[in-house]
Amino acid sequence: MVVTKKAMLAMSIFTLFGFSGIAYFILSFSDEVDYFEMFNYDHLATSISIGLGFGAVAALIGVLLLKLPVLRETSTFYAKLFKGVNLQWTDIVFYSLCAGVGEEILFRGALQPLMGLWWAAILFVVLHGYISTKDWKKSIYGVFLILISAGFGYLTRYFDIFSAMAAHFIFDVIMFIKLRKEARSMSSEIE
């Protein structure tokens, strides 16, 4: 299976608007959590800066982990998915922004207050397909991503949702750059 640019665009738009709508729907049944309260902030520049720092460090650790021989196959699997997409900078920024905003609104803004930080982090990673009973190597990386997802949760708890959005955004930007580099090297090996 290879992801197409058209599919990525559709998934990104759904993630941004659909996940935000799902979060609003979920929280409409909650007396404890108000949808719009998640967007409150005190020190936006500080929280975004801390989020960007956390996300960048997390992504760099993720890149290093994927270079380990035991996870090489997992890294190659994801690079092959994006082989036909030909990611441009605008694509990387757009996809990362949609995921960073939409997923954090749903998972940290709506589900975390209702399920708890760690359950929301686990659900996030499971739904992304990083935990597999058939591929223990992918699951190793999945456990790392649970920790990162929980980190997004702690950013939301101790700062605000914007800190988690910034962390998720920059994490995805760096990982997309890595995927693009690997996908391009695969294409040049074939030629």
Side-chain angles (χ1 to χ4, degrees), residues 52-118:
L52 289 172
F54 176 85
V57 169
L60 294 174
I61 293 169
V63 167
L64 292 174
L65 280 174
L66 289 170
K67 288 184 178 188
L68 294 173
V70 71
L71 295 179
R72 189 58 136 148
E73 193 177 300
T74 300
S75 182
T76 303
F77 169 80
Y78 290 108
K80 283 180 182 177
L81 281 178
F82 290 91
K83 197 167 124 183
V85 176
N86 189 22
L87 293 169
Q88 302 301 314
W89 277 104
T90 52
D91 302 322
I92 290 171
V93 169
F94 181 73
Y95 302 155
S96 300
L97 185 66
C98 289
V101 173
E103 291 181 353
E104 293 310 309
I105 287 172
L106 177 59
F107 287 92
R108 260 44 79 182
L111 296 178
Q112 180 173 307
L114 302 175
M115 300 175 68
L117 188 148
W118 283 96

Side-chain angles (χ1 to χ4, degrees), residues 47-180:
S47 69
I48 289 175
S49 298
I50 289 169
L52 289 172
F54 176 85
V57 169
L60 294 174
I61 293 169
V63 167
L64 292 174
L65 280 174
L66 289 170
K67 288 184 178 188
L68 294 173
V70 71
L71 295 179
R72 189 58 136 148
E73 193 177 300
T74 300
S75 182
T76 303
F77 169 80
Y78 290 108
K80 283 180 182 177
L81 281 178
F82 290 91
K83 197 167 124 183
V85 176
N86 189 22
L87 293 169
Q88 302 301 314
W89 277 104
T90 52
D91 302 322
I92 290 171
V93 169
F94 181 73
Y95 302 155
S96 300
L97 185 66
C98 289
V101 173
E103 291 181 353
E104 293 310 309
I105 287 172
L106 177 59
F107 287 92
R108 260 44 79 182
L111 296 178
Q112 180 173 307
L114 302 175
M115 300 175 68
L117 188 148
W118 283 96
W119 286 114
I122 292 167
L123 180 64
F124 177 83
V125 173
V126 167
L127 291 177
H128 277 74
Y130 288 107
I131 302 295
S132 171
T133 56
K134 296 177 183 172
D135 185 352
W136 65 271
K137 293 175 185 179
K138 188 190 293 184
S139 294
I140 289 173
Y141 191 67
V143 169
F144 164 73
L145 291 176
I146 289 171
L147 297 174
I148 299 308
S149 183
F152 297 164
Y154 283 110
L155 287 171
T156 301
R157 179 181 288 172
Y158 293 111
F159 296 98
D160 53 44
I161 192 98
F162 300 104
S163 186
M165 288 175 181
H168 192 149
F169 166 77
I170 200 68
F171 183 90
D172 283 7
V173 165
I174 292 168
M175 297 312 282
F176 272 125
I177 291 168
K178 179 194 182 315
L179 285 171
R180 180 177 74 169

Side-chain angles (χ1 to χ4, degrees), residues 14-36:
F14 177 76
T15 299
L16 180 60
F17 296 107
F19 282 21
S20 299
I22 292 167
Y24 183 81
F25 178 76
I26 289 169
L27 292 179
S28 69
F29 295 101
S30 173
D31 293 331
E32 300 169 24
V33 183
D34 179 66
Y35 179 83
F36 295 101

